[in-house]
C-alpha cells in the first residue's frame, strides 16, 4: 500500500508517492504554472536509485485538470508505479488555512470539508483548490483514507502579543480575526533540519520560505514565536501575485474614491499585485532573466522584494534576541542566488556574511553559504512538505484514529 501526498499551491501541484513504511518516494512530480498557457508537468520515477524524468508541456487550465493528469501518470502503462488506484491506501493533503478549529492533522469528513470551505474568504487562492483536490482525490482513489494537514498548525505557538491585532476585542472573540500564519509545514520541516545540522536544539532561526507565496518565521528552539503572514496569506512579504503588507488606507481610498468593490479589491491584492504588478511577470525565473538584462522594472522589483525580507530579518532578530541562522527554502529560496545575495547584502550588523562564490553554486541538499566571520549561518535547506505530511499520515494511521474505522 502507498501514501500519496498532494501539495496544492496557488499556481502549482506538487506530489509524491511513498510506500507506507518508507521515507523514500517511488515517484514525485510538479504541475506548475497552472492556468497559464506555458504550464509544465515534471514527473520523476525512482527505481533502484535511478531517476527517470518525464516532462510534458501542455496547458493545465485548473487544479482539477492537474489532479487528473497526475493520477493518470501513476498508472500509465509505460511508466506505471502502481497497477491499480486501490493500492493507494492514504491520500494526505496540505491545506493552507485551518482557522482556530482545525489545528491538528485530521481525517477528512464532510464536516472537515465544510470547515475548510468556510475559510475560503481567508485563503481565496488556496482553500478552494484544496477542496477541489480533495474531491477529485475522493473520486480517483475511492478506497483511500483522505487526511488533511494544516499549514496554520505550526504557528499555534505564537504568543498572544504576536497574534492579536489592535482592534476591538470582539473581532477576535466573535470572529476569530487574528494572525494565523502559513507555510507552517515547510517552516517546521526546515527549522528541524537546521537545528539538527547545527547540533543546537535551542537555535534561534529565521526561516524564509520564498516561492510564488512568501513568508518568514521566527523560530526559537523549534517553536514559532512570530510569522509574516496574518489572518490570510496576503500579509507580509511581496509575492508572485500578492501585494504583501499595505497601508489599509490604500484600500479605503480605492473603495471610497475610485469605486472599487470588495471583490475587485480581493482580486487586485491577491492576483494582480506583487511581482506581477511590478514587472508583468510572476515567475522569478522570468524576472531574474530580465534583471540580468538590466530591465529597470525587474531591478526595482528585486530591490523591493528583498528589502521587505531584510526588514523582517531585523525585526525577528530583535524578537529572538539573537540569531543563529537564516534558513532559505522553497523554489525561489533554494534556487535564486540573486535573491539570497541581495537579502544578505549589507547585513553585517546582524552577523550575516554570505559567501558570494558558494551562493552561485547549483548544489542540492542542505548547504552552508556563510562566509568566514559570519556569526549567523546562512543556510539553504530544501523543504520537503510532502515527506513531512507523509510522516504525519503514517503516524495517524498507525495510531488507529477513530475515524479510520469507517475507511
Amino acid at each position: 500500500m502507498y501514501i500519496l501526498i498532494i501539495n496544492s499551491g496557488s499556481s502549482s501541484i506538487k506530489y509524491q508517492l511513498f510506500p507506507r513504511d518508507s521515507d523514500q518516494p517511488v515517484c514525485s512530480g510538479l504541475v506548475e504554472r497552472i492556468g497559464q498557457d506555458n504550464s509544465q508537468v515534471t514527473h520523476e520515477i525512482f527505481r533502484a536509485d535511478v531517476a527517470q524524468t518525464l516532462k510534458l508541456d501542455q496547458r493545465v487550465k485548473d487544479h482539477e485538470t492537474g489532479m487528473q493528469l497526475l493520477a493518470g501518470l501513476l498508472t500509465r502503462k509505460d511508466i506505471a508505479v502502481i497497477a491499480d488506484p486501490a493500492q493507494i491506501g492514504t491520500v494526505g493533503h496540505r491545506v493552507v488555512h485551518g482557522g482556530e478549529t482545525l489545528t491538528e492533522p485530521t481525517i477528512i469528513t464532510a464536516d472537515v470539508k465544510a470547515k475548510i470551505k468556510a475559510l475560503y474568504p481567508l485563503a481565496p487562492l488556496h482553500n478552494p483548490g484544496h477542496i477541489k483536490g480533495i474531491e477529485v482525490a475522493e473520486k480517483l482513489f475511492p478506497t483511500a483514507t483522505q487526511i488533511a494537514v494544516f499549514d496554520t498548525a505550526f504557528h499555534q505557538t505564537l504568543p498572544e502579543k504576536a497574534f492579536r491585532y489592535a482592534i476591538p476585542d470582539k473581532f477576535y472573540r466573535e470572529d476569530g480575526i487574528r494572525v494565523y500564519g502559513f507555510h507552517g509545514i515547510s517552516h517546521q520541516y526546515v527549522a528541524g533540519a537546521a537545528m539538527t545540522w547545527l547540533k543546537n536544539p535551542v537555535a534561534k532561526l529565521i526561516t524564509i520560505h520564498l516561492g510564488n507565496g512568501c513568508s518568514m518565521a521566527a523560530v526559537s528552539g523549534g517553536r514559532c514565536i512570530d510569522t509574516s503572514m496574518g489572518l490570510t496569506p496576503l500579509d507580509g512579504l511581496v509575492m508572485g501575485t500578492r501585494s504583501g503588507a499595505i497601508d489599509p488606507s490604500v484600500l479605503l481610498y480605492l473603495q471610497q474614491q475610485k469605486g472599487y468593490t470588495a471583490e475587485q479589491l480581493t482580486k487586485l491584492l491577491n492576483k494582480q499585485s506583487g511581482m506581477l504588478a511590478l514587472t508583468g511577470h510572476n515567475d522569478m525565473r522570468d524576472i531574474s532573466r530580465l534583471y540580468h538584462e538590466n530591465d529597470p522594472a525587474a531591478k526595482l522589483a528585486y530591490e523591493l522584494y528583498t528589502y521587505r525580507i531584510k526588514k523582517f530579518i531585523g525585526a525577528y532578530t530583535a524578537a529572538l534576541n539573537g540569531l543563529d541562522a537564516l534558513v532559505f527554502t522553497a523554489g525561489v529560496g533554494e534556487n535564486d542566488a540573486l535573491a539570497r545575495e541581495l537579502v544578505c547584502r549589507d547585513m553585517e550588523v546582524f552577523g550575516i556574511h554570505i559567501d558570494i562564490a558558494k551562493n552561485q553554486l547549483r548544489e542540492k541538499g542542505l548547504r552552508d553559504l556563510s562566509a568566514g566571520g559570519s556569526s549567523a549561518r546562512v543556510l539553504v535547506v530544501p523543504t520537503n512538505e510532502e515527506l513531512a505530511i507523509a510522516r504525519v499520515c503514517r503516524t495517524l494511521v498507525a495510531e488507529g484514529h477513530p475515524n479510520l474505522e469507517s475507511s
Side-chain angles (χ1 to χ4, degrees):
M1 299 298 288
Y2 294 88
I3 301 172
L4 175 64
I5 304 303
I6 304 296
N7 182 350
S8 293
S10 54
S11 62
S12 66
I13 301 173
K14 290 191 289 184
Y15 59 93
Q16 290 192 39
L17 184 67
F18 294 88
R20 179 169 285 182
D21 58 353
S22 173
D23 282 350
Q24 298 302 316
V26 296
C27 76
S28 68
L30 172 64
V31 185
E32 56 184 327
R33 301 184 181 187
I34 292 173
Q36 301 180 42
D37 291 335
N38 58 344
S39 307
Q40 187 175 73
V41 181
T42 303
H43 182 73
E44 276 194 300
I45 304 159
F46 308 103
R47 292 193 176 99
D49 297 325
V50 176
Q52 176 186 352
T53 303
L54 173 70
K55 288 186 177 290
L56 302 174
D57 293 308
Q58 63 185 79
R59 188 171 189 275
V60 181
K61 67 176 183 178
D62 53 30
H63 283 71
E64 181 172 7
T65 303
M67 280 287 298
Q68 293 170 338
L69 186 59
L70 77 85
L73 289 170
L74 298 179
T75 56
R76 203 176 96 172
K77 288 185 178 179
D78 58 330
I79 56 170
V81 291
I82 57 173
D84 190 319
Q87 289 179 265
I88 295 177
T90 306
V91 181
H93 299 267
R94 170 190 173 234
V95 178
V96 162
H97 212 313
E100 284 203 310
T101 57
L102 299 171
T103 59
E104 295 181 352
T106 184
I107 307 300
I108 295 172
T109 63
D111 179 59
V112 169
K113 286 191 286 186
K115 290 178 179 178
I116 294 171
K117 289 178 180 179
L119 293 164
Y120 277 6
L122 302 186
L125 292 185
H126 294 87
N127 275 27
H130 298 323
I131 284 292
K132 182 60 68 175
I134 290 167
E135 291 174 344
V136 175
E138 288 173 335
K139 295 175 185 176
L140 296 172
F141 311 106
T143 61
T145 299
Q146 309 283 331
I147 295 176
V149 181
F150 299 95
D151 245 352
T152 43
F154 180 57
H155 305 300
Q156 289 295 308
T157 55
L158 263 64
E160 191 167 8
K161 66 183 180 182
F163 74 69
R164 286 290 298 273
Y165 292 115
I167 58 177
D169 185 70
K170 68 176 183 178
F171 293 112
Y172 170 60
R173 302 299 175 192
E174 298 175 11
D175 303 303
I177 295 177
R178 53 159 288 178
V179 170
Y180 287 100
F182 302 91
H183 295 139
I185 299 166
S186 176
H187 286 294
Q188 185 172 26
Y189 179 86
V190 300
M195 287 188 296
T196 299
W197 186 86
L198 292 166
K199 298 180 181 178
N200 183 359
V202 295
K204 296 176 179 180
L205 308 172
I206 297 175
T207 52
I208 309 173
H209 179 109
L210 303 177
N212 192 51
C214 303
S215 68
M216 293 172 63
V219 183
S220 179
R223 290 173 59 85
C224 183
I225 65 166
D226 207 345
T227 191
S228 61
M229 287 178 167
L231 174 72
T232 75
L234 181 59
D235 198 10
L237 304 179
V238 175
M239 307 176 221
T241 64
R242 280 171 264 176
S243 65
I246 189 170
D247 182 348
S249 295
V250 173
L251 311 185
L252 297 175
Y253 173 83
L254 292 175
Q255 181 188 51
Q256 295 168 0
Q257 303 299 322
K258 299 296 183 179
Y260 275 69
T261 64
E263 183 179 357
Q264 288 173 321
L265 290 173
T266 297
K267 184 177 181 181
L268 172 68
L269 296 180
N270 281 285
K271 298 185 177 182
Q272 299 173 337
S273 296
M275 300 299 270
L276 177 65
L278 295 170
T279 69
H281 300 272
N282 71 299
D283 192 302
M284 290 295 280
R285 290 167 292 190
D286 297 326
I287 303 167
S288 176
R289 173 180 53 79
L290 290 171
Y291 180 98
H292 288 102
E293 293 173 359
N294 295 315
D295 179 86
K299 186 174 186 297
L300 171 63
Y302 258 97
E303 289 175 348
L304 195 158
Y305 179 90
T306 55
Y307 179 67
R308 186 73 60 85
I309 296 169
K310 290 161 77 85
K311 289 203 295 183
F312 271 99
I313 290 172
Y316 287 172
T317 301
L320 290 163
N321 192 25
L323 179 64
D324 292 309
L326 287 183
V327 182
F328 288 94
T329 195
V332 177
E334 295 168 30
N335 300 300
D336 193 322
L338 174 61
R340 293 193 301 262
E341 180 183 343
L342 293 178
V343 167
C344 294
R345 183 178 293 174
D346 300 325
M347 297 289 276
E348 294 85 359
V349 68
F350 299 112
I352 297 168
H353 300 262
I354 192 168
D355 186 308
I356 302 299
K358 286 181 183 178
N359 184 48
Q360 292 295 329
L361 297 176
R362 291 185 171 273
E363 298 179 334
K364 294 185 177 181
L366 190 155
R367 53 201 191 272
D368 182 4
L369 307 182
S370 311
S374 182
S375 61
R377 312 313 297 172
V378 179
L379 305 178
V380 173
V381 180
T383 192
N384 196 333
E385 294 165 299
E386 295 77 28
L387 174 57
I389 295 169
R391 288 171 174 170
V392 168
C393 290
R394 195 177 295 136
T395 299
L396 201 58
V397 170
E399 289 175 349
H401 192 284
N403 288 354
L404 290 174
E405 295 176 2
S406 60
S407 299

